[in-house]
Amino acid sequence: MIKNIINQLAEDKESYFNAAIPPIFSNSNFLFSNVDDMRKAMSSKNSNPFYTRGSNPTTSILEKKIAALEGTEKAIALSSGMAAITTAILSQVRSGDHIISIERPYTGTDRFMKEILPKLNIEVSFVDGSKTENFSKAIQDNTKMIYLESPNSWTYQMQDLEMISRLAKENKIITMIDNSYSSPINCNPSKWGIDIIIHSATKYIGGHANAMGGIICGSNHIIESINNREFKLIGSVLSPFNSWLFINGLRTLNVRMKYISESAPLIVKFLEDHELVESVIYPHSESFNQFELTKKYIKKPCGQFTIILKTEKKSKVEKFCNNLNNFFMGASWGGHESLIFPEISRYNNDSEYYSKTDFLPHNYIRFYIGLEDTDLLIDDLKKSLESIG
Ligand SMILES: *Cc1c(COP(=O)(O)O)cnc(C)c1O
């Protein structure tokens, strides 16, 4: 129901000449001609904008639409997914607190938890999130937050959101989830009691690889408090132009997710059946070891999976990747373009950020299926696999 009205929601067309698309309020400042109007705009209870690092009419439209899609009271947009994650975490913990996180969250989150939070004397325990009892075992007197990503990046371990949020509530612990994998179309964690939901809007919400942004969704209480303090003071403001691009992205989000839900499983099936592919890790495959949890929490198949090529030879993995014509290599995903991220690209780069043990094996390749014709992509994979056969 909400999906059908999302294109109209929060748009006040009459106030801008019935234009089909809302204008970009590209201004930093809003002006006042008497003290009382200015005082009212400055009060957080008033919805009139005062300064774009606080509220902006174009961005507010985006925020209202995403809150409605996620089924939360409110949302706040920020300049990147990482800004959303770090701002939301910092809003909930202080020096001396403890966080329980799933292991292998998104790489940026992992690094924030390992490199920045310890500087603030905030301790993080990483647990295998596929078993709820791992969270209960890790709870300490100072545990303030449970951090989830279901499925997590690359290895796609699902978490039982309902059970974990129950456990957290019993122990007065706040729960937060990175829901980028599913988009607000395919999973709404607030339904299962999760308190804070973030998205990298850079991915599915934007959908065209043309803008970076992030969003935090939650109750009025949580979002207003983040808005008044961490958001304004850390200052990761989303550009109104990007808000406008994300509003455009939302117009087709449902249709894009539907196409991907049909295309990706066909491609996975082709790869699963291929003799040069050892296995495919895809939460929506019947052979996936937590398929029941996927069915419970994610409405339709999504576009990301990881394949493990059946070869010991690094040169063959690279040849397979290089020979693809319709998949580019890149860091991101969620756009129109199909992508691979070969784990082998992390090898031999003397990176200061990864220790050798953090790498997955060299024959792991992450895939993202975009909006191209399914047969075209399968044909491309077939030819490239043949070239290393
Ligand atoms: C890309 C990504 C992020 C970070 O988002 P940015 O917009 O790049 O800052 C966070 N979580 C997941 C799962 C991602 O894929």
Side-chain angles (χ1 to χ4, degrees), residues 79-83 85 106 109 147 149 151 153 178-181 198-203 211-214 304 331-333 366:
S79 57
S80 68
M82 277 312 296
I85 292 166
Y106 172 71
T109 312
Y147 185 90
E149 198 183 305
S153 296
D178 179 339
N179 195 30
S180 306
Y181 173 91
I198 76 93
H199 285 277
S200 167
T202 314
K203 312 296 167 52
M212 298 203 68
Q304 274 186 294
S332 191
W333 56 274
R366 187 185 79 183

mmCIF file of all heavy atoms in Angstrom, residues 79-83 85 106 109 147 149 151 153 178-181 198-203 211-214 304 331-333 366, ligand 1:
data_model
loop_
_atom_site.group_PDB
_atom_site.id
_atom_site.type_symbol
_atom_site.label_atom_id
_atom_site.label_comp_id
_atom_site.label_asym_id
_atom_site.label_seq_id
_atom_site.Cartn_x
_atom_site.Cartn_y
_atom_site.Cartn_z
ATOM 1 N N SER A 79 25.176 12.761 4.566
ATOM 2 C CA SER A 79 25.981 12.868 3.349
ATOM 3 C C SER A 79 26.525 11.550 2.804
ATOM 4 O O SER A 79 27.035 11.506 1.692
ATOM 5 C CB SER A 79 27.142 13.826 3.581
ATOM 6 O OG SER A 79 27.903 13.359 4.677
ATOM 7 N N SER A 80 26.478 10.477 3.575
ATOM 8 C CA SER A 80 26.919 9.170 3.070
ATOM 9 C C SER A 80 26.371 8.095 4.000
ATOM 10 O O SER A 80 25.918 8.394 5.117
ATOM 11 C CB SER A 80 28.456 9.075 3.028
ATOM 12 O OG SER A 80 28.982 9.058 4.339
ATOM 13 N N GLY A 81 26.462 6.858 3.550
ATOM 14 C CA GLY A 81 26.079 5.746 4.417
ATOM 15 C C GLY A 81 26.963 5.713 5.654
ATOM 16 O O GLY A 81 26.487 5.497 6.769
ATOM 17 N N MET A 82 28.261 5.954 5.475
ATOM 18 C CA MET A 82 29.169 5.954 6.619
ATOM 19 C C MET A 82 28.821 7.068 7.606
ATOM 20 O O MET A 82 28.935 6.892 8.814
ATOM 21 C CB MET A 82 30.633 6.078 6.158
ATOM 22 C CG MET A 82 31.278 4.770 5.730
ATOM 23 S SD MET A 82 31.056 3.372 6.862
ATOM 24 C CE MET A 82 31.930 3.920 8.331
ATOM 25 N N ALA A 83 28.406 8.233 7.083
ATOM 26 C CA ALA A 83 27.995 9.320 7.980
ATOM 27 C C ALA A 83 26.786 8.882 8.804
ATOM 28 O O ALA A 83 26.700 9.160 10.008
ATOM 29 C CB ALA A 83 27.664 10.576 7.186
ATOM 30 N N ILE A 85 25.977 5.777 9.628
ATOM 31 C CA ILE A 85 26.389 4.747 10.586
ATOM 32 C C ILE A 85 27.141 5.362 11.767
ATOM 33 O O ILE A 85 26.807 5.131 12.934
ATOM 34 C CB ILE A 85 27.272 3.682 9.878
ATOM 35 C CG1 ILE A 85 26.424 2.890 8.884
ATOM 36 C CG2 ILE A 85 27.946 2.752 10.888
ATOM 37 C CD1 ILE A 85 27.228 2.059 7.888
ATOM 38 N N TYR A 106 29.985 -4.294 7.052
ATOM 39 C CA TYR A 106 30.545 -3.522 5.943
ATOM 40 C C TYR A 106 31.943 -3.016 6.347
ATOM 41 O O TYR A 106 32.147 -2.595 7.479
ATOM 42 C CB TYR A 106 29.600 -2.350 5.642
ATOM 43 C CG TYR A 106 30.167 -1.385 4.656
ATOM 44 C CD1 TYR A 106 30.286 -1.737 3.322
ATOM 45 C CD2 TYR A 106 30.611 -0.126 5.060
ATOM 46 C CE1 TYR A 106 30.839 -0.848 2.409
ATOM 47 C CE2 TYR A 106 31.156 0.755 4.157
ATOM 48 C CZ TYR A 106 31.270 0.389 2.835
ATOM 49 O OH TYR A 106 31.819 1.257 1.933
ATOM 50 N N THR A 109 32.414 0.162 8.352
ATOM 51 C CA THR A 109 31.894 0.014 9.713
ATOM 52 C C THR A 109 32.892 -0.756 10.567
ATOM 53 O O THR A 109 33.175 -0.392 11.714
ATOM 54 C CB THR A 109 30.552 -0.766 9.679
ATOM 55 O OG1 THR A 109 29.724 -0.190 8.682
ATOM 56 C CG2 THR A 109 29.863 -0.734 11.012
ATOM 57 N N TYR A 147 24.741 -4.219 17.199
ATOM 58 C CA TYR A 147 24.829 -3.718 15.824
ATOM 59 C C TYR A 147 24.690 -4.880 14.836
ATOM 60 O O TYR A 147 25.439 -5.854 14.894
ATOM 61 C CB TYR A 147 26.171 -3.004 15.606
ATOM 62 C CG TYR A 147 26.243 -2.367 14.237
ATOM 63 C CD1 TYR A 147 25.811 -1.062 14.033
ATOM 64 C CD2 TYR A 147 26.698 -3.093 13.140
ATOM 65 C CE1 TYR A 147 25.839 -0.486 12.770
ATOM 66 C CE2 TYR A 147 26.724 -2.525 11.868
ATOM 67 C CZ TYR A 147 26.294 -1.228 11.701
ATOM 68 O OH TYR A 147 26.313 -0.672 10.453
ATOM 69 N N GLU A 149 23.698 -6.414 10.676
ATOM 70 C CA GLU A 149 23.656 -6.211 9.221
ATOM 71 C C GLU A 149 23.208 -7.581 8.712
ATOM 72 O O GLU A 149 23.975 -8.533 8.781
ATOM 73 C CB GLU A 149 25.061 -5.863 8.728
ATOM 74 C CG GLU A 149 25.134 -5.223 7.367
ATOM 75 C CD GLU A 149 26.588 -4.971 6.941
ATOM 76 O OE1 GLU A 149 27.333 -4.307 7.676
ATOM 77 O OE2 GLU A 149 26.971 -5.493 5.883
ATOM 78 N N PRO A 151 21.542 -9.754 5.654
ATOM 79 C CA PRO A 151 22.801 -10.479 5.849
ATOM 80 C C PRO A 151 23.981 -9.514 5.893
ATOM 81 O O PRO A 151 23.867 -8.388 5.429
ATOM 82 C CB PRO A 151 22.881 -11.352 4.594
ATOM 83 C CG PRO A 151 22.166 -10.562 3.539
ATOM 84 C CD PRO A 151 21.060 -9.864 4.254
ATOM 85 N N SER A 153 27.980 -8.322 4.950
ATOM 86 C CA SER A 153 28.636 -8.154 3.657
ATOM 87 C C SER A 153 29.476 -9.393 3.300
ATOM 88 O O SER A 153 30.077 -9.997 4.185
ATOM 89 C CB SER A 153 29.540 -6.920 3.682
ATOM 90 O OG SER A 153 28.782 -5.755 3.871
ATOM 91 N N ASP A 178 22.138 -2.119 9.701
ATOM 92 C CA ASP A 178 22.428 -1.613 8.363
ATOM 93 C C ASP A 178 21.565 -2.446 7.410
ATOM 94 O O ASP A 178 21.804 -3.632 7.206
ATOM 95 C CB ASP A 178 23.924 -1.798 8.079
ATOM 96 C CG ASP A 178 24.327 -1.313 6.690
ATOM 97 O OD1 ASP A 178 23.455 -1.212 5.806
ATOM 98 O OD2 ASP A 178 25.536 -1.068 6.490
ATOM 99 N N ASN A 179 20.529 -1.802 6.837
ATOM 100 C CA ASN A 179 19.533 -2.515 6.029
ATOM 101 C C ASN A 179 19.755 -2.278 4.529
ATOM 102 O O ASN A 179 18.858 -2.482 3.720
ATOM 103 C CB ASN A 179 18.128 -2.025 6.453
ATOM 104 C CG ASN A 179 17.000 -2.915 5.975
ATOM 105 O OD1 ASN A 179 17.170 -4.121 5.823
ATOM 106 N ND2 ASN A 179 15.841 -2.321 5.729
ATOM 107 N N SER A 180 20.956 -1.839 4.166
ATOM 108 C CA SER A 180 21.219 -1.480 2.757
ATOM 109 C C SER A 180 20.998 -2.664 1.815
ATOM 110 O O SER A 180 20.504 -2.496 0.705
ATOM 111 C CB SER A 180 22.662 -0.981 2.588
ATOM 112 O OG SER A 180 22.947 0.058 3.474
ATOM 113 N N TYR A 181 21.391 -3.871 2.242
ATOM 114 C CA TYR A 181 21.290 -5.046 1.370
ATOM 115 C C TYR A 181 19.872 -5.213 0.820
ATOM 116 O O TYR A 181 19.677 -5.536 -0.347
ATOM 117 C CB TYR A 181 21.702 -6.320 2.132
ATOM 118 C CG TYR A 181 21.475 -7.607 1.353
ATOM 119 C CD1 TYR A 181 22.477 -8.146 0.546
ATOM 120 C CD2 TYR A 181 20.249 -8.271 1.408
ATOM 121 C CE1 TYR A 181 22.264 -9.301 -0.190
ATOM 122 C CE2 TYR A 181 20.022 -9.420 0.670
ATOM 123 C CZ TYR A 181 21.023 -9.934 -0.126
ATOM 124 O OH TYR A 181 20.804 -11.074 -0.859
ATOM 125 N N ILE A 198 19.611 2.002 9.340
ATOM 126 C CA ILE A 198 20.319 2.911 8.441
ATOM 127 C C ILE A 198 20.402 2.304 7.034
ATOM 128 O O ILE A 198 20.313 1.086 6.858
ATOM 129 C CB ILE A 198 21.730 3.305 8.938
ATOM 130 C CG1 ILE A 198 22.724 2.179 8.725
ATOM 131 C CG2 ILE A 198 21.751 3.765 10.381
ATOM 132 C CD1 ILE A 198 23.456 2.280 7.435
ATOM 133 N N HIS A 199 20.540 3.200 6.060
ATOM 134 C CA HIS A 199 20.772 2.786 4.679
ATOM 135 C C HIS A 199 21.907 3.601 4.101
ATOM 136 O O HIS A 199 22.003 4.804 4.372
ATOM 137 C CB HIS A 199 19.543 3.060 3.796
ATOM 138 C CG HIS A 199 18.430 2.109 4.022
ATOM 139 N ND1 HIS A 199 18.368 0.881 3.423
ATOM 140 C CD2 HIS A 199 17.334 2.205 4.822
ATOM 141 C CE1 HIS A 199 17.277 0.246 3.827
ATOM 142 N NE2 HIS A 199 16.630 1.028 4.678
ATOM 143 N N SER A 200 22.714 2.969 3.271
ATOM 144 C CA SER A 200 23.556 3.723 2.362
ATOM 145 C C SER A 200 22.646 4.046 1.173
ATOM 146 O O SER A 200 22.359 3.175 0.358
ATOM 147 C CB SER A 200 24.759 2.891 1.914
ATOM 148 O OG SER A 200 25.369 3.529 0.814
ATOM 149 N N ALA A 201 22.182 5.298 1.088
ATOM 150 C CA ALA A 201 21.291 5.692 -0.023
ATOM 151 C C ALA A 201 22.045 5.687 -1.346
ATOM 152 O O ALA A 201 21.441 5.646 -2.423
ATOM 153 C CB ALA A 201 20.697 7.074 0.245
ATOM 154 N N THR A 202 23.375 5.714 -1.245
ATOM 155 C CA THR A 202 24.250 5.609 -2.421
ATOM 156 C C THR A 202 23.896 4.378 -3.263
ATOM 157 O O THR A 202 24.109 4.376 -4.473
ATOM 158 C CB THR A 202 25.715 5.459 -1.927
ATOM 159 O OG1 THR A 202 25.960 6.421 -0.897
ATOM 160 C CG2 THR A 202 26.712 5.614 -3.045
ATOM 161 N N LYS A 203 23.369 3.342 -2.624
ATOM 162 C CA LYS A 203 23.164 2.058 -3.286
ATOM 163 C C LYS A 203 21.769 2.030 -3.934
ATOM 164 O O LYS A 203 21.527 2.746 -4.875
ATOM 165 C CB LYS A 203 23.386 0.928 -2.285
ATOM 166 C CG LYS A 203 24.683 1.071 -1.459
ATOM 167 C CD LYS A 203 25.938 0.987 -2.309
ATOM 168 C CE LYS A 203 27.206 1.438 -1.582
ATOM 169 N NZ LYS A 203 27.491 0.847 -0.300
ATOM 170 N N ALA A 211 25.067 9.566 -6.902
ATOM 171 C CA ALA A 211 25.057 10.403 -5.697
ATOM 172 C C ALA A 211 25.384 9.570 -4.466
ATOM 173 O O ALA A 211 25.067 8.377 -4.413
ATOM 174 C CB ALA A 211 23.674 11.030 -5.509
ATOM 175 N N MET A 212 26.017 10.207 -3.490
ATOM 176 C CA MET A 212 26.275 9.540 -2.216
ATOM 177 C C MET A 212 25.382 10.129 -1.135
ATOM 178 O O MET A 212 25.157 11.346 -1.100
ATOM 179 C CB MET A 212 27.738 9.712 -1.806
ATOM 180 C CG MET A 212 28.669 9.075 -2.817
ATOM 181 S SD MET A 212 30.285 8.656 -2.147
ATOM 182 C CE MET A 212 29.877 7.347 -1.001
ATOM 183 N N GLY A 213 24.894 9.253 -0.270
ATOM 184 C CA GLY A 213 24.066 9.720 0.836
ATOM 185 C C GLY A 213 23.742 8.581 1.774
ATOM 186 O O GLY A 213 24.009 7.411 1.467
ATOM 187 N N GLY A 214 23.213 8.939 2.926
ATOM 188 C CA GLY A 214 22.823 7.919 3.900
ATOM 189 C C GLY A 214 21.585 8.371 4.637
ATOM 190 O O GLY A 214 21.208 9.547 4.563
ATOM 191 N N GLN A 304 22.671 -9.030 -4.574
ATOM 192 C CA GLN A 304 24.073 -9.313 -4.252
ATOM 193 C C GLN A 304 24.294 -10.759 -3.860
ATOM 194 O O GLN A 304 23.486 -11.356 -3.145
ATOM 195 C CB GLN A 304 24.501 -8.463 -3.065
ATOM 196 C CG GLN A 304 24.984 -7.093 -3.421
ATOM 197 C CD GLN A 304 25.514 -6.409 -2.187
ATOM 198 O OE1 GLN A 304 24.765 -6.115 -1.257
ATOM 199 N NE2 GLN A 304 26.791 -6.146 -2.156
ATOM 200 N N ALA A 331 33.641 -0.747 -6.461
ATOM 201 C CA ALA A 331 33.444 -0.887 -5.018
ATOM 202 C C ALA A 331 31.967 -0.908 -4.647
ATOM 203 O O ALA A 331 31.561 -1.594 -3.724
ATOM 204 C CB ALA A 331 34.107 0.270 -4.307
ATOM 205 N N SER A 332 31.175 -0.155 -5.335
ATOM 206 C CA SER A 332 29.815 0.067 -4.876
ATOM 207 C C SER A 332 28.870 -0.986 -5.461
ATOM 208 O O SER A 332 29.307 -2.019 -5.971
ATOM 209 C CB SER A 332 29.378 1.475 -5.264
ATOM 210 O OG SER A 332 28.181 1.812 -4.634
ATOM 211 N N TRP A 333 27.590 -0.732 -5.392
ATOM 212 C CA TRP A 333 26.570 -1.619 -5.938
ATOM 213 C C TRP A 333 25.249 -0.874 -5.793
ATOM 214 O O TRP A 333 25.216 0.234 -5.283
ATOM 215 C CB TRP A 333 26.558 -2.978 -5.214
ATOM 216 C CG TRP A 333 26.386 -2.875 -3.731
ATOM 217 C CD1 TRP A 333 27.387 -2.690 -2.810
ATOM 218 C CD2 TRP A 333 25.164 -2.883 -2.989
ATOM 219 N NE1 TRP A 333 26.856 -2.589 -1.557
ATOM 220 C CE2 TRP A 333 25.498 -2.712 -1.629
ATOM 221 C CE3 TRP A 333 23.822 -3.024 -3.348
ATOM 222 C CZ2 TRP A 333 24.528 -2.664 -0.627
ATOM 223 C CZ3 TRP A 333 22.858 -2.987 -2.349
ATOM 224 C CH2 TRP A 333 23.233 -2.822 -0.999
ATOM 225 N N ARG A 366 32.545 -11.012 -5.265
ATOM 226 C CA ARG A 366 31.216 -10.502 -4.940
ATOM 227 C C ARG A 366 30.558 -9.978 -6.208
ATOM 228 O O ARG A 366 31.191 -9.278 -6.999
ATOM 229 C CB ARG A 366 31.322 -9.375 -3.911
ATOM 230 C CG ARG A 366 29.960 -8.914 -3.397
ATOM 231 C CD ARG A 366 30.085 -7.722 -2.481
ATOM 232 N NE ARG A 366 30.263 -6.485 -3.229
ATOM 233 C CZ ARG A 366 30.449 -5.291 -2.658
ATOM 234 N NH1 ARG A 366 30.513 -5.180 -1.350
ATOM 235 N NH2 ARG A 366 30.603 -4.207 -3.405
HETATM 236 C C1 LIG B 1 28.316 1.078 0.744
HETATM 237 C C2 LIG B 1 27.839 0.568 2.031
HETATM 238 C C3 LIG B 1 27.895 1.361 3.191
HETATM 239 C C4 LIG B 1 28.527 2.736 3.189
HETATM 240 O O1 LIG B 1 27.826 3.645 2.439
HETATM 241 P P1 LIG B 1 28.501 4.916 1.734
HETATM 242 O O2 LIG B 1 27.339 5.622 1.149
HETATM 243 O O3 LIG B 1 29.487 4.385 0.750
HETATM 244 O O4 LIG B 1 29.193 5.703 2.808
HETATM 245 C C5 LIG B 1 27.385 0.839 4.355
HETATM 246 N N1 LIG B 1 26.860 -0.400 4.402
HETATM 247 C C6 LIG B 1 26.801 -1.187 3.334
HETATM 248 C C7 LIG B 1 26.196 -2.543 3.462
HETATM 249 C C8 LIG B 1 27.301 -0.744 2.113
HETATM 250 O O5 LIG B 1 27.272 -1.547 1.044
#
